[in-house]
Amino acid sequence: MREAITAKAVWRERGRRQLASLRFRRIAAADALLVLAGAVVLLIIACAIVPGWIAPYAPTEMLTDNILKPPSTDHLFGTDYFGRDIFSVVVHGSRDSLFIGFASVLIGGLAGGIIGAVSGYVGGIADTILMRCNDILMTIPGILLALAIAGALGPGMFNIVLAVAVASIPGYARVMRAQIISIKSRTFIAASSSMGASPMHIFWRHVLPNALSPLLVMATIGIGTSILTGSGLSFLGLGLLREVPDWGTLLSQGRGYLTVAWWMCTFPGLAITLFVLAVNIIGDRLRDDMDPKKRRVRG
Amino acid sequence: MKNRYSFRRTATVLIALALALSACATNNTANNTSNNAAANTGSGAAAAGDTKETAADDTAAAQGGELSYALATSPDSLDPHRSGLAVAVRVIRTIYDSLVVQLPDNSIKPWLATSWTVSEDGKSYTFKLREDVKFHDGTPFNAEAVKYNFDRILDSATKAANAAALLAPYQSSEVIDEYTVKLNLATPSRAFLGNLSQALLGIVSPTAAKKDGDQFGQHPVGTGPYKFVSWQENAEIKVARNESYAWAPEIVKNTGAPYLDGIAFKIVPEEATRIGSVQSGQVLAGETVPPQNIVALKSDPNFQLLSANTVGLPYTLFFNLERAPWNDAKARQAVKYAVDVDAIVKTLYLGTYDRAWSPLTPGTFGYDATLENSVKPDIEKANALLDELGWTKGADGIREKDGKKLTLQYVDATPNREKRNDIAVIIQQQLKAIGIAVNVEITKDVRTVVFTNGAYDLYGNSQVNSDPNALYAFYHTYDPKGRASLSRLSDPAIDKLLEQGLVEPDDTKRAEIYKEIQHYIVDQAIVLPIYVFPYTVAAAKSVEGIVFDSLGYPLFNDATVKP
């Protein structure tokens, strides 16, 4: 048991060091980019939480006398063919887009993580069966899988989340399994086991905490992917026609007006691009910080 | 290590994707006026047209040349008796002729039939046929061919779709002599001659139809001004001039063979690409122009916009009269007063579509023009009607009665044809103002949701038709064993009128009957008529002579392409 406590202490110490490195080393140098990305993400999350404080109009308000107006001081992003203020619709639409992103990563990451962990830790026949099923899922490109699922389930918020989540499961499962297997073969696990720790104890105390960090990084980047996939699905008309459209739906609605009103597609498109880009930058940096090899090189 | 690289790759791909997505949008800021962007992203189908265009340019003068014409979707079949799509009719009309033709004033004129007589009881039609007509495969056109055609539609083995409905109440044919045929009907029908003029009752070659069986739709043979040449799935259909054509109907000027060498119908489903191909010169003409482009094209000196309002039933939102609370006329009238159709037509269609006022379109026989401007949006009246029915506004602004919310299930189909989904979005907002929660369901499977399950309160549809009898299928009490009508209306008085309208021999009386029906439908708010769909064609200035038949389908007999 003493060994276990020591391992925990090591883990805690490492976490402290990571935080410290974030605090001092990063911000000092060339990380205006990270700060910017963080600001963008925070701003968009704020939009999703309190859209009413930010948007000047209600997203459903149709100013029928002001249709297809280009960006101006009254309408920052212009108006669409319903006469809605595009800025307000984009702000309000962030809620659904972000919900799709976060919810599907949560579901997909959890399911994939469990599958990968079971597969990697239990091994044997369970591993074979789970991984072959995973391989089958992997043979289908993620977006295609999501399309097929959304098509079969029909339009709906939850169905989109489910479609995007299922499509992301194989990736998480693979990473989790590889991570677990590599940690399983480390000497401190063997030591722990030889001291009589039960497999469950070893899993919860040693294997899982050490295997989580790549999954967290992957999930962060996955939020971007999911928002993109979700927007793609609603762009293709597989989403639900809601009162407040999400970004993908907005793009889809503006598509036919590209030649006469560029602003209808541009701003929702920019919102998607910015958010995905920002999340990726953060994910990238998170990965660097959690990667012990990389840290050694830099330090 | 491996993980790290795959992360980086994922991230790179993502950023690339995100950029590509936004690039679609940002590129166009620069190309706002030139329209090149839309054209360049065009499909292979449009690009393939380029080479053919140059080949056609060599044959100068009005005579000759090939017209490339972009269609919005792919036809399902070129067998008129089996096809169910309006887009197929644009091609079918070039390959087949009908017995008679209907002029825009609704009068019926000779085509393949030179004259006809109707029996006293209205149950048999005797046609004298032209004697100089031959099918493209050399088969002579005669009474036997006519009999074969109509019996073919009746034959359940053919699986005729819309054609079978149009041919009703046809029963049998008698060949009287080589060029005289008598058609017998089960009941008299005033719609019959008009229906015979439709392309879906076009005359196919009996030899070819027998030979090709189910495959006839891929190898169509008729008597029309153009012969079928080739069909590349989802890309192009080509037809060529029928040199021996000499029996054009009165609706076109050129009675002989068409001037064009041929027509290449390109299938370009994406709206922006289709119109972009016309603007960049990849095709000479393209159909179904979105409203926002109509406005721009009208002011462009290099292009012309041809347009013909379709006739029959306008795009109409049907209440399902079997579902409470919308089975109550007052509830429906409240909706009628709350929906501002003018605002819908003005914003979505930018004034390029006409607003519909009646369950029939202008131009259809019996259309009642007095219904125009008969409805004005009146929120107070709408609210009063709902108050009267006992629906009171709850805390969230939605009305309630006996603990139930006032909801309206609005079903519409995907893809978003003619911006119909956007109508749902607007109506959702307009009805919210009087406390109705509209639940919009967009489905791919209209057949199940609407026709099998009847799970809708409001569903929109339109129909191109040559006769006001089109109302019969929508408003007559339906056969409980058969398919339900969209309105599910069951009113003995209306049933009687619809039955009278079908047989009434006197035109004035017949028009009165249909006017009464239209008034009833509008007063009772059985439906909300929304817009009359104009069939629009964007074409280069060099294209001339495309005319439209009484239903709004294009005819290419007079068409020419200036080099």
Side-chain angles (χ1 to χ4, degrees):
Chain A
M1 280 288 105
R2 268 199 62 202
E3 173 65 36
I5 294 161
T6 325
K8 199 174 174 185
V10 167
W11 170 251
R12 202 178 288 145
E13 174 55 27
R14 190 200 278 183
R16 207 171 288 140
R17 244 192 291 141
Q18 278 175 2
L19 255 174
S21 70
L22 263 177
R23 229 174 261 151
F24 301 112
R25 197 150 35 81
R26 296 285 163 233
I27 296 170
D31 272 343
L33 192 64
L34 184 66
V35 174
L36 201 67
V40 167
V41 170
L42 282 181
L43 182 76
I44 293 178
I45 289 178
C47 285
I49 297 170
V50 282
W53 295 2
I54 298 164
Y57 297 87
T60 51
E61 191 180 347
M62 295 173 184
L63 313 156
T64 45
D65 293 325
N66 269 314
I67 54 169
L68 297 172
K69 289 273 181 287
S72 64
T73 43
D74 282 349
H75 304 284
L76 212 53
F77 292 177
T79 60
D80 66 6
Y81 58 86
F82 293 113
R84 297 180 302 197
D85 177 56
I86 294 177
F87 178 68
S88 305
V89 185
V90 168
V91 166
H92 281 266
S94 62
R95 181 173 284 180
D96 278 1
S97 288
L98 260 53
F99 176 77
I100 293 174
F102 284 101
S104 56
V105 162
L106 200 69
I107 296 174
L110 215 60
I114 292 172
I115 292 172
V118 168
S119 182
Y121 198 64
V122 175
I125 195 130
D127 181 27
T128 312
I129 293 173
L130 283 173
M131 278 305 114
R132 291 304 80 76
C133 293
N134 205 48
D135 286 347
I136 293 172
L137 273 184
M138 266 192 139
T139 55
I140 310 166
I143 181 87
L144 201 67
L145 189 64
L147 254 175
I149 296 169
L153 295 175
M157 190 69 158
F158 182 71
N159 291 347
I160 288 223
V161 168
L162 208 65
V164 177
V166 171
S168 66
I169 286 179
Y172 292 115
R174 277 270 151 185
V175 169
M176 191 62 172
R177 175 177 172 274
Q179 199 65 19
I180 297 259
I181 286 177
S182 95
I183 289 166
K184 214 168 67 170
S185 60
R186 298 270 188 86
T187 38
F188 75 93
I189 302 291
S192 177
S193 166
S194 67
M195 290 183 75
S198 75
M200 277 317 271
H201 176 86
I202 294 175
F203 178 76
W204 288 113
R205 280 300 170 84
H206 303 304
V207 181
L208 193 62
N210 284 301
L212 271 181
S213 61
L215 206 69
L216 286 178
V217 173
M218 202 177 161
T220 315
I221 294 176
I223 290 171
T225 325
S226 298
I227 287 181
L228 216 53
T229 316
S231 300
L233 291 182
S234 21
F235 177 80
L236 293 170
L238 291 166
L240 189 65
L241 197 64
R242 298 160 69 82
E243 279 195 69
V244 181
D246 71 327
W247 294 339
T249 313
L250 279 176
L251 270 185
S252 166
Q253 288 176 342
R255 185 181 46 146
Y257 290 80
L258 269 178
T259 50
V260 289
W262 55 268
W263 52 91
M264 276 188 67
C265 269
T266 309
F267 294 108
L270 271 178
I272 297 176
T273 312
L274 274 181
F275 189 74
V276 173
L277 199 63
V279 165
N280 272 324
I281 290 170
I282 294 173
D284 224 31
R285 197 45 53 85
L286 209 61
R287 185 203 63 201
D288 287 355
D289 282 323
M290 285 189 170
D291 187 345
K293 284 181 200 135
K294 196 133 195 179
R295 200 166 52 231
R296 213 172 300 133
V297 172
R298 283 199 186 167
Chain B
M1 278 306 261
K2 219 173 182 185
N3 274 341
R4 214 175 77 208
Y5 280 118
S6 82
F7 281 157
R8 176 153 291 172
R9 206 177 308 138
T10 328
T12 320
V13 168
L14 275 173
I15 294 169
L17 260 172
L19 286 176
L21 242 170
S22 69
C24 293
T26 40
N27 270 351
N28 274 276
T29 55
N31 288 326
N32 205 2
T33 46
S34 76
N35 305 306
N36 282 339
N40 288 343
T41 54
S43 65
D50 247 355
T51 49
K52 272 144 206 154
E53 225 59 60
T54 37
D57 279 350
D58 298 338
T59 51
Q63 182 82 15
E66 186 188 62
L67 173 66
S68 43
Y69 192 94
L71 297 176
T73 43
S74 176
D76 50 349
S77 163
L78 294 182
D79 181 342
H81 305 160
R82 287 198 180 99
S83 170
L85 294 181
V87 69
V89 176
R90 328 247 203 259
V91 184
I92 285 174
R93 192 74 283 182
T94 66
I95 302 174
Y96 305 94
D97 294 328
S98 298
L99 284 185
V100 294
V101 65
Q102 186 171 32
L103 298 188
D105 65 0
N106 290 316
S107 64
I108 306 287
K109 298 286 176 186
W111 194 345
L112 289 181
T114 52
S115 63
W116 56 91
T117 51
V118 187
S119 68
E120 276 294 314
D121 61 0
K123 283 162 78 172
S124 64
Y125 288 68
T126 310
F127 289 93
K128 285 268 177 214
L129 306 177
R130 283 186 76 111
E131 301 182 5
D132 56 347
V133 179
K134 272 196 165 48
F135 289 99
H136 301 151
D137 61 354
T139 312
F141 167 77
N142 53 28
E144 275 298 337
V146 173
K147 178 178 163 58
Y148 171 81
N149 266 271
F150 294 146
D151 287 347
R152 179 176 186 254
I153 298 170
L154 213 58
D155 185 354
S156 56
T158 312
K159 298 200 182 71
N162 294 7
L166 287 174
L167 193 61
Y170 168 85
Q171 230 173 6
S172 65
S173 299
E174 291 164 39
V175 175
I176 295 182
D177 62 46
E178 172 97 43
Y179 296 109
T180 312
V181 65
K182 189 171 152 200
L183 309 183
N184 298 314
L185 310 186
T187 52
S189 166
R190 282 302 308 278
F192 189 65
L193 272 179
N195 288 353
L196 280 185
S197 77
Q198 291 204 31
L200 293 181
L201 295 186
I203 305 294
V204 309
S205 161
T207 335
K210 276 178 208 156
K211 192 180 92 203
D212 288 325
D214 285 347
Q215 296 305 308
F216 181 71
Q218 269 68 48
H219 312 98
V221 180
T223 61
Y226 292 90
K227 291 181 199 180
F228 174 76
V229 176
S230 64
W231 183 351
Q232 271 176 282
E233 203 64 44
N234 284 323
E236 185 183 56
I237 295 173
K238 295 190 90 166
V239 294
R241 171 171 47 210
N242 175 8
E243 297 289 355
S244 49
Y245 194 73
W247 43 86
E250 205 172 296
I251 196 163
V252 292
K253 288 193 205 100
N254 173 16
T255 53
Y259 303 126
L260 295 171
D261 289 336
I263 308 169
F265 291 99
K266 316 266 185 191
I267 293 139
V268 189
E270 176 61 38
E271 274 178 357
T273 314
R274 193 166 60 245
I275 305 314
S277 322
V278 178
Q279 289 171 322
S280 69
Q282 287 178 344
V283 295
L284 288 173
E287 67 168 8
T288 338
V289 188
Q292 64 271 24
N293 296 95
I294 292 182
V295 176
L297 274 169
K298 272 187 176 160
S299 55
D300 190 328
N302 297 318
F303 299 97
Q304 51 181 331
L305 190 99
L306 312 170
S307 152
N309 270 348
T310 54
V311 298
L313 309 188
Y315 181 69
T316 317
L317 299 173
F318 290 85
F319 280 104
N320 179 349
L321 297 185
E322 284 176 0
R323 303 227 312 183
W326 310 108
N327 52 0
D328 190 318
K330 278 185 184 153
R332 294 193 304 268
Q333 279 156 352
V335 173
K336 180 171 94 170
Y337 288 119
V339 171
D340 185 351
V341 181
D342 277 331
I344 293 174
V345 176
K346 200 182 84 190
T347 53
L348 292 183
Y349 307 111
L350 305 166
T352 61
Y353 289 17
D354 290 334
R355 175 185 174 169
W357 293 98
S358 146
L360 289 174
T361 63
T364 313
F365 176 85
Y367 171 73
D368 189 352
T370 62
L371 286 170
E372 286 172 16
N373 301 312
S374 63
V375 183
K376 284 215 167 53
D378 189 340
I379 300 289
E380 274 170 37
K381 210 163 172 180
N383 274 321
L385 280 163
L386 290 178
D387 289 340
E388 200 181 314
L389 289 172
W391 292 96
T392 47
K393 276 199 181 169
D396 55 353
I398 300 303
R399 289 174 184 269
E400 293 172 23
K401 188 162 99 175
D402 309 327
K404 272 181 75 181
K405 298 244 182 225
L406 183 55
T407 59
L408 187 141
Q409 181 78 9
Y410 188 132
V411 178
D412 198 13
T414 177
N416 187 6
R417 179 177 156 199
E418 293 156 26
K419 301 186 200 297
R420 290 176 178 183
N421 293 357
D422 300 321
I423 297 180
V425 172
I426 296 187
I427 288 185
Q428 187 175 43
Q429 291 310 314
Q430 292 181 341
L431 292 186
K432 205 167 143 190
I434 58 162
I436 300 174
V438 178
N439 183 19
V440 179
E441 182 185 349
I442 306 292
T443 178
K444 269 194 310 228
D445 192 9
V446 169
R447 195 180 284 266
T448 311
V449 175
V450 173
F451 293 104
T452 311
N453 299 342
Y456 62 98
D457 292 320
L458 207 57
Y459 170 72
N461 207 342
S462 63
Q463 192 184 66
V464 175
N465 208 305
S466 51
D467 193 272
N469 184 46
L471 296 172
Y472 199 102
F474 290 87
Y475 301 100
H476 193 276
T477 306
Y478 65 93
D479 176 3
K481 277 174 271 164
R483 190 166 113 165
S485 69
L486 269 183
S487 69
R488 302 185 179 224
L489 173 66
S490 180
D491 184 318
I494 290 301
D495 287 355
K496 197 157 167 259
L497 285 171
L498 284 166
E499 285 155 19
Q500 278 175 358
L502 184 57
V503 296
E504 175 57 55
D506 184 83
D507 273 350
T508 325
K509 277 189 199 151
R510 189 163 185 248
E512 283 310 315
I513 289 170
Y514 283 111
K515 281 179 183 163
E516 201 178 330
I517 297 171
Q518 290 169 66
H519 267 283
Y520 172 86
I521 293 169
V522 171
D523 291 345
Q524 295 293 306
I526 312 286
V527 295
L528 306 172
I530 307 290
Y531 65 80
V532 181
F533 179 64
Y535 179 68
T536 45
V537 178
K541 272 274 154 66
S542 57
V543 178
E544 278 172 15
I546 296 178
V547 294
F548 298 95
D549 71 6
S550 63
L551 295 179
Y553 291 114
L555 298 170
F556 300 97
N557 300 56
D558 299 344
T560 56
V561 179
K562 280 213 192 96

